Amino acid sequence: MGAQLEPQVPPAESVTWIGRDHAANVLHPVGNEPPSAGRDIPGRGPRRWVIALVIAAIAVAALVWVKYVRTAGPTSGAAAANSIPVVTVTSPGSRAVTARISFTGALAARYDMPIGSDTDTGRIKEIYVEAGDHVKQGQIMAKLDGAVLVPQVNRLAASVEESRAQAALSAAQYRRGLGVQAAGALSAEEIEHRRATSLTDDARVKVAVAQLAEAQARLERTDVRAPADGVVLTRTAEVGQIASPGGPALFRLARNGEVEMRGQVAEQDMARLRVGQSAAVYITNVAKPFEGHVRLLGAVIDPMTRLGEIRIALGADPALRSRH
């Protein structure tokens, strides 16, 4: 036996729920409970992601803009400051303009003195100087063999003594004749003869003295001496060499050691040059210039090259060497 209950049917009733997305005349499921909170609403999830992305993009753009403003602010200020024009005021005036004229040339001794033998032909016996030595006026530079001249000098010296003795004797005889002239011991002719003899002997003494002086001078010239103070430039003399008058120079001497530069200047530049103007001479591979001044300007222009001569006087310096 059993019992079975019949289900009770609730009275029919229409219920309407009003939610956030309420739409008019939309009926929700019938029941006494509201719609579940966890139920997804169609189209609501993607909208949330779009909103979040837009907000993030706005935030990033704001940060970038703030950073740009902070960094660009000082730079734009500096640029504005640099754009301000700077004005420099200069007072007008006048000053000399220095013009330079360049030319090339070579160094040479200002006074190049060749020295040779001016006596009889002889063999060089000794040499006392070398190239580059400083010599004084009258200093012996070389000596020639004077073996032939020495006897001549001795012979003439003896002749002078003989002539002087004969002249003294003749003069004494003439004086004695004058002493006895008043007594008539000697004729006037004899006295005149004695006077003539005395005068002749005096003349012979003078001749002998002159001959002796000549021989002595020739003997002295066997010593080749420096004619002036200076520096020996070259030496071609050798011991045993035959030296003769008019032959090649034995030495070359730069008087007082003075050196100058000799060059050629263009015709159009000659008119701008004056004697005494300062000059700077540069030598190859020498850093410092050598100061000098214009000593001479040529009086003529070469018609072929259109160049004129110029000479620059330089001070004494061991680094300056003349070219030959």
Side-chain angles (χ1 to χ4, degrees), residues 187-218:
S187 63
E189 182 181 359
E190 180 65 20
I191 294 175
E192 185 65 24
H193 176 73
R194 290 186 179 186
R195 187 183 72 83
T197 301
S198 176
L199 293 177
T200 302
D201 290 342
D202 287 340
R204 288 176 179 174
V205 170
K206 294 178 180 178
V207 171
V209 169
Q211 292 176 347
L212 176 61
E214 180 183 358
Q216 289 176 337
R218 292 167 58 191

mmCIF file of all heavy atoms in Angstrom, residues 187-218:
data_model
loop_
_atom_site.group_PDB
_atom_site.id
_atom_site.type_symbol
_atom_site.label_atom_id
_atom_site.label_comp_id
_atom_site.label_asym_id
_atom_site.label_seq_id
_atom_site.Cartn_x
_atom_site.Cartn_y
_atom_site.Cartn_z
ATOM 1 N N SER A 187 196.486 120.807 -57.217
ATOM 2 C CA SER A 187 195.876 121.633 -58.250
ATOM 3 C C SER A 187 194.346 121.589 -58.109
ATOM 4 O O SER A 187 193.777 120.703 -57.452
ATOM 5 C CB SER A 187 196.298 121.137 -59.650
ATOM 6 O OG SER A 187 195.816 119.809 -59.862
ATOM 7 N N ALA A 188 193.738 122.498 -58.752
ATOM 8 C CA ALA A 188 192.268 122.550 -58.701
ATOM 9 C C ALA A 188 191.671 121.337 -59.391
ATOM 10 O O ALA A 188 190.622 120.795 -58.982
ATOM 11 C CB ALA A 188 191.788 123.834 -59.369
ATOM 12 N N GLU A 189 192.368 120.819 -60.421
ATOM 13 C CA GLU A 189 191.863 119.632 -61.101
ATOM 14 C C GLU A 189 191.865 118.407 -60.192
ATOM 15 O O GLU A 189 190.918 117.605 -60.201
ATOM 16 C CB GLU A 189 192.723 119.379 -62.344
ATOM 17 C CG GLU A 189 192.267 118.199 -63.164
ATOM 18 C CD GLU A 189 193.168 117.971 -64.372
ATOM 19 O OE1 GLU A 189 194.120 118.747 -64.564
ATOM 20 O OE2 GLU A 189 192.888 117.007 -65.133
ATOM 21 N N GLU A 190 192.939 118.277 -59.402
ATOM 22 C CA GLU A 190 193.012 117.126 -58.480
ATOM 23 C C GLU A 190 191.940 117.208 -57.411
ATOM 24 O O GLU A 190 191.301 116.195 -57.060
ATOM 25 C CB GLU A 190 194.397 117.111 -57.832
ATOM 26 C CG GLU A 190 194.613 115.975 -56.855
ATOM 27 C CD GLU A 190 194.584 114.615 -57.505
ATOM 28 O OE1 GLU A 190 194.773 114.518 -58.736
ATOM 29 O OE2 GLU A 190 194.298 113.617 -56.775
ATOM 30 N N ILE A 191 191.706 118.378 -56.927
ATOM 31 C CA ILE A 191 190.666 118.527 -55.901
ATOM 32 C C ILE A 191 189.288 118.194 -56.477
ATOM 33 O O ILE A 191 188.462 117.535 -55.848
ATOM 34 C CB ILE A 191 190.704 119.959 -55.331
ATOM 35 C CG1 ILE A 191 192.024 120.181 -54.557
ATOM 36 C CG2 ILE A 191 189.513 120.197 -54.417
ATOM 37 C CD1 ILE A 191 192.215 121.593 -54.056
ATOM 38 N N GLU A 192 189.038 118.632 -57.716
ATOM 39 C CA GLU A 192 187.747 118.320 -58.345
ATOM 40 C C GLU A 192 187.601 116.826 -58.586
ATOM 41 O O GLU A 192 186.504 116.273 -58.459
ATOM 42 C CB GLU A 192 187.658 119.092 -59.663
ATOM 43 C CG GLU A 192 186.337 118.954 -60.356
ATOM 44 C CD GLU A 192 185.182 119.570 -59.564
ATOM 45 O OE1 GLU A 192 185.406 120.467 -58.739
ATOM 46 O OE2 GLU A 192 184.008 119.122 -59.779
ATOM 47 N N HIS A 193 188.748 116.179 -58.938
ATOM 48 C CA HIS A 193 188.694 114.731 -59.149
ATOM 49 C C HIS A 193 188.330 114.013 -57.848
ATOM 50 O O HIS A 193 187.538 113.052 -57.861
ATOM 51 C CB HIS A 193 190.063 114.260 -59.683
ATOM 52 C CG HIS A 193 190.135 112.778 -59.832
ATOM 53 N ND1 HIS A 193 189.480 112.073 -60.822
ATOM 54 C CD2 HIS A 193 190.816 111.841 -59.088
ATOM 55 C CE1 HIS A 193 189.727 110.792 -60.710
ATOM 56 N NE2 HIS A 193 190.552 110.628 -59.634
ATOM 57 N N ARG A 194 188.909 114.458 -56.759
ATOM 58 C CA ARG A 194 188.594 113.833 -55.474
ATOM 59 C C ARG A 194 187.108 114.052 -55.094
ATOM 60 O O ARG A 194 186.470 113.163 -54.522
ATOM 61 C CB ARG A 194 189.510 114.386 -54.389
ATOM 62 C CG ARG A 194 190.949 113.926 -54.545
ATOM 63 C CD ARG A 194 191.772 114.383 -53.370
ATOM 64 N NE ARG A 194 193.174 113.910 -53.508
ATOM 65 C CZ ARG A 194 194.103 114.063 -52.566
ATOM 66 N NH1 ARG A 194 193.793 114.680 -51.418
ATOM 67 N NH2 ARG A 194 195.336 113.628 -52.771
ATOM 68 N N ARG A 195 186.606 115.208 -55.390
ATOM 69 C CA ARG A 195 185.173 115.464 -55.086
ATOM 70 C C ARG A 195 184.275 114.536 -55.887
ATOM 71 O O ARG A 195 183.316 113.983 -55.362
ATOM 72 C CB ARG A 195 184.865 116.931 -55.376
ATOM 73 C CG ARG A 195 183.460 117.342 -54.924
ATOM 74 C CD ARG A 195 183.217 118.793 -55.314
ATOM 75 N NE ARG A 195 183.033 118.920 -56.762
ATOM 76 C CZ ARG A 195 181.872 118.710 -57.414
ATOM 77 N NH1 ARG A 195 180.787 118.339 -56.742
ATOM 78 N NH2 ARG A 195 181.812 118.867 -58.718
ATOM 79 N N ALA A 196 184.588 114.357 -57.177
ATOM 80 C CA ALA A 196 183.784 113.487 -58.031
ATOM 81 C C ALA A 196 183.867 112.038 -57.570
ATOM 82 O O ALA A 196 182.859 111.297 -57.577
ATOM 83 C CB ALA A 196 184.250 113.609 -59.485
ATOM 84 N N THR A 197 185.061 111.643 -57.175
ATOM 85 C CA THR A 197 185.220 110.262 -56.682
ATOM 86 C C THR A 197 184.394 110.047 -55.414
ATOM 87 O O THR A 197 183.757 108.993 -55.239
ATOM 88 C CB THR A 197 186.697 109.957 -56.410
ATOM 89 O OG1 THR A 197 187.461 110.143 -57.627
ATOM 90 C CG2 THR A 197 186.869 108.546 -55.899
ATOM 91 N N SER A 198 184.390 111.021 -54.518
ATOM 92 C CA SER A 198 183.605 110.896 -53.282
ATOM 93 C C SER A 198 182.112 110.791 -53.584
ATOM 94 O O SER A 198 181.389 109.977 -53.001
ATOM 95 C CB SER A 198 183.884 112.099 -52.384
ATOM 96 O OG SER A 198 183.065 112.041 -51.219
ATOM 97 N N LEU A 199 181.633 111.597 -54.507
ATOM 98 C CA LEU A 199 180.210 111.543 -54.873
ATOM 99 C C LEU A 199 179.859 110.200 -55.537
ATOM 100 O O LEU A 199 178.788 109.637 -55.285
ATOM 101 C CB LEU A 199 179.879 112.698 -55.822
ATOM 102 C CG LEU A 199 179.970 114.125 -55.214
ATOM 103 C CD1 LEU A 199 179.695 115.178 -56.287
ATOM 104 C CD2 LEU A 199 178.994 114.259 -54.061
ATOM 105 N N THR A 200 180.768 109.714 -56.386
ATOM 106 C CA THR A 200 180.518 108.431 -57.053
ATOM 107 C C THR A 200 180.452 107.294 -56.050
ATOM 108 O O THR A 200 179.580 106.414 -56.144
ATOM 109 C CB THR A 200 181.617 108.158 -58.096
ATOM 110 O OG1 THR A 200 181.647 109.227 -59.051
ATOM 111 C CG2 THR A 200 181.371 106.837 -58.805
ATOM 112 N N ASP A 201 181.345 107.311 -55.098
ATOM 113 C CA ASP A 201 181.337 106.236 -54.082
ATOM 114 C C ASP A 201 180.073 106.309 -53.215
ATOM 115 O O ASP A 201 179.518 105.266 -52.831
ATOM 116 C CB ASP A 201 182.595 106.352 -53.215
ATOM 117 C CG ASP A 201 183.867 105.974 -53.980
ATOM 118 O OD1 ASP A 201 183.727 105.307 -55.039
ATOM 119 O OD2 ASP A 201 184.962 106.341 -53.531
ATOM 120 N N ASP A 202 179.612 107.517 -52.923
ATOM 121 C CA ASP A 202 178.346 107.644 -52.173
ATOM 122 C C ASP A 202 177.179 107.062 -52.981
ATOM 123 O O ASP A 202 176.296 106.394 -52.435
ATOM 124 C CB ASP A 202 178.080 109.115 -51.862
ATOM 125 C CG ASP A 202 179.005 109.661 -50.776
ATOM 126 O OD1 ASP A 202 179.565 108.820 -50.014
ATOM 127 O OD2 ASP A 202 179.173 110.885 -50.679
ATOM 128 N N ALA A 203 177.181 107.304 -54.289
ATOM 129 C CA ALA A 203 176.114 106.764 -55.130
ATOM 130 C C ALA A 203 176.184 105.241 -55.185
ATOM 131 O O ALA A 203 175.142 104.557 -55.201
ATOM 132 C CB ALA A 203 176.224 107.357 -56.529
ATOM 133 N N ARG A 204 177.397 104.710 -55.237
ATOM 134 C CA ARG A 204 177.543 103.257 -55.251
ATOM 135 C C ARG A 204 177.015 102.631 -53.953
ATOM 136 O O ARG A 204 176.454 101.542 -53.969
ATOM 137 C CB ARG A 204 179.005 102.892 -55.462
ATOM 138 C CG ARG A 204 179.496 103.158 -56.876
ATOM 139 C CD ARG A 204 180.977 102.871 -57.011
ATOM 140 N NE ARG A 204 181.415 103.119 -58.402
ATOM 141 C CZ ARG A 204 182.710 103.064 -58.782
ATOM 142 N NH1 ARG A 204 183.666 102.788 -57.893
ATOM 143 N NH2 ARG A 204 183.027 103.296 -60.056
ATOM 144 N N VAL A 205 177.187 103.330 -52.877
ATOM 145 C CA VAL A 205 176.636 102.833 -51.606
ATOM 146 C C VAL A 205 175.116 102.759 -51.688
ATOM 147 O O VAL A 205 174.492 101.766 -51.258
ATOM 148 C CB VAL A 205 177.088 103.743 -50.442
ATOM 149 C CG1 VAL A 205 176.326 103.378 -49.163
ATOM 150 C CG2 VAL A 205 178.582 103.625 -50.213
ATOM 151 N N LYS A 206 174.528 103.773 -52.255
ATOM 152 C CA LYS A 206 173.056 103.780 -52.374
ATOM 153 C C LYS A 206 172.567 102.646 -53.279
ATOM 154 O O LYS A 206 171.561 102.003 -52.999
ATOM 155 C CB LYS A 206 172.578 105.126 -52.898
ATOM 156 C CG LYS A 206 172.836 106.277 -51.927
ATOM 157 C CD LYS A 206 172.373 107.615 -52.524
ATOM 158 C CE LYS A 206 172.640 108.753 -51.560
ATOM 159 N NZ LYS A 206 172.235 110.080 -52.127
ATOM 160 N N VAL A 207 173.294 102.393 -54.373
ATOM 161 C CA VAL A 207 172.915 101.307 -55.270
ATOM 162 C C VAL A 207 173.011 99.969 -54.548
ATOM 163 O O VAL A 207 172.119 99.102 -54.664
ATOM 164 C CB VAL A 207 173.801 101.326 -56.534
ATOM 165 C CG1 VAL A 207 173.562 100.068 -57.370
ATOM 166 C CG2 VAL A 207 173.537 102.565 -57.358
ATOM 167 N N ALA A 208 174.085 99.790 -53.828
ATOM 168 C CA ALA A 208 174.285 98.534 -53.105
ATOM 169 C C ALA A 208 173.196 98.345 -52.043
ATOM 170 O O ALA A 208 172.674 97.234 -51.847
ATOM 171 C CB ALA A 208 175.664 98.513 -52.469
ATOM 172 N N VAL A 209 172.842 99.423 -51.382
ATOM 173 C CA VAL A 209 171.782 99.336 -50.371
ATOM 174 C C VAL A 209 170.443 98.977 -51.023
ATOM 175 O O VAL A 209 169.667 98.166 -50.496
ATOM 176 C CB VAL A 209 171.689 100.665 -49.592
ATOM 177 C CG1 VAL A 209 170.438 100.690 -48.726
ATOM 178 C CG2 VAL A 209 172.921 100.880 -48.745
ATOM 179 N N ALA A 210 170.149 99.571 -52.183
ATOM 180 C CA ALA A 210 168.901 99.265 -52.877
ATOM 181 C C ALA A 210 168.868 97.817 -53.336
ATOM 182 O O ALA A 210 167.829 97.137 -53.229
ATOM 183 C CB ALA A 210 168.732 100.206 -54.060
ATOM 184 N N GLN A 211 169.984 97.323 -53.857
ATOM 185 C CA GLN A 211 170.039 95.926 -54.278
ATOM 186 C C GLN A 211 169.840 94.980 -53.099
ATOM 187 O O GLN A 211 169.160 93.953 -53.214
ATOM 188 C CB GLN A 211 171.366 95.651 -54.974
ATOM 189 C CG GLN A 211 171.522 96.348 -56.320
ATOM 190 C CD GLN A 211 172.874 96.129 -56.940
ATOM 191 O OE1 GLN A 211 173.824 95.652 -56.290
ATOM 192 N NE2 GLN A 211 173.018 96.491 -58.211
ATOM 193 N N LEU A 212 170.429 95.351 -51.983
ATOM 194 C CA LEU A 212 170.259 94.529 -50.790
ATOM 195 C C LEU A 212 168.806 94.533 -50.320
ATOM 196 O O LEU A 212 168.253 93.480 -49.946
ATOM 197 C CB LEU A 212 171.173 95.039 -49.666
ATOM 198 C CG LEU A 212 171.030 94.328 -48.313
ATOM 199 C CD1 LEU A 212 171.367 92.846 -48.439
ATOM 200 C CD2 LEU A 212 171.911 95.014 -47.268
ATOM 201 N N ALA A 213 168.171 95.686 -50.375
ATOM 202 C CA ALA A 213 166.769 95.773 -49.959
ATOM 203 C C ALA A 213 165.878 94.940 -50.873
ATOM 204 O O ALA A 213 164.932 94.271 -50.418
ATOM 205 C CB ALA A 213 166.325 97.228 -49.946
ATOM 206 N N GLU A 214 166.164 94.963 -52.171
ATOM 207 C CA GLU A 214 165.382 94.155 -53.102
ATOM 208 C C GLU A 214 165.531 92.661 -52.797
ATOM 209 O O GLU A 214 164.540 91.913 -52.798
ATOM 210 C CB GLU A 214 165.832 94.451 -54.527
ATOM 211 C CG GLU A 214 165.082 93.658 -55.576
ATOM 212 C CD GLU A 214 165.600 93.911 -56.972
ATOM 213 O OE1 GLU A 214 166.528 94.745 -57.111
ATOM 214 O OE2 GLU A 214 165.097 93.259 -57.924
ATOM 215 N N ALA A 215 166.765 92.237 -52.575
ATOM 216 C CA ALA A 215 166.990 90.824 -52.289
ATOM 217 C C ALA A 215 166.321 90.427 -50.971
ATOM 218 O O ALA A 215 165.755 89.333 -50.853
ATOM 219 C CB ALA A 215 168.489 90.534 -52.240
ATOM 220 N N GLN A 216 166.398 91.296 -49.998
ATOM 221 C CA GLN A 216 165.748 90.988 -48.720
ATOM 222 C C GLN A 216 164.228 90.897 -48.876
ATOM 223 O O GLN A 216 163.583 90.050 -48.256
ATOM 224 C CB GLN A 216 166.129 92.052 -47.684
ATOM 225 C CG GLN A 216 167.571 91.980 -47.224
ATOM 226 C CD GLN A 216 167.923 93.104 -46.282
ATOM 227 O OE1 GLN A 216 167.269 94.170 -46.265
ATOM 228 N NE2 GLN A 216 168.988 92.924 -45.499
ATOM 229 N N ALA A 217 163.648 91.789 -49.700
ATOM 230 C CA ALA A 217 162.203 91.741 -49.929
ATOM 231 C C ALA A 217 161.802 90.448 -50.618
ATOM 232 O O ALA A 217 160.781 89.830 -50.276
ATOM 233 C CB ALA A 217 161.776 92.949 -50.757
ATOM 234 N N ARG A 218 162.600 90.015 -51.595
ATOM 235 C CA ARG A 218 162.309 88.757 -52.272
ATOM 236 C C ARG A 218 162.422 87.588 -51.299
ATOM 237 O O ARG A 218 161.632 86.638 -51.369
ATOM 238 C CB ARG A 218 163.250 88.580 -53.448
ATOM 239 C CG ARG A 218 163.001 89.576 -54.577
ATOM 240 C CD ARG A 218 164.139 89.584 -55.571
ATOM 241 N NE ARG A 218 164.341 88.259 -56.148
ATOM 242 C CZ ARG A 218 165.413 87.926 -56.902
ATOM 243 N NH1 ARG A 218 166.351 88.841 -57.136
ATOM 244 N NH2 ARG A 218 165.523 86.725 -57.400
#
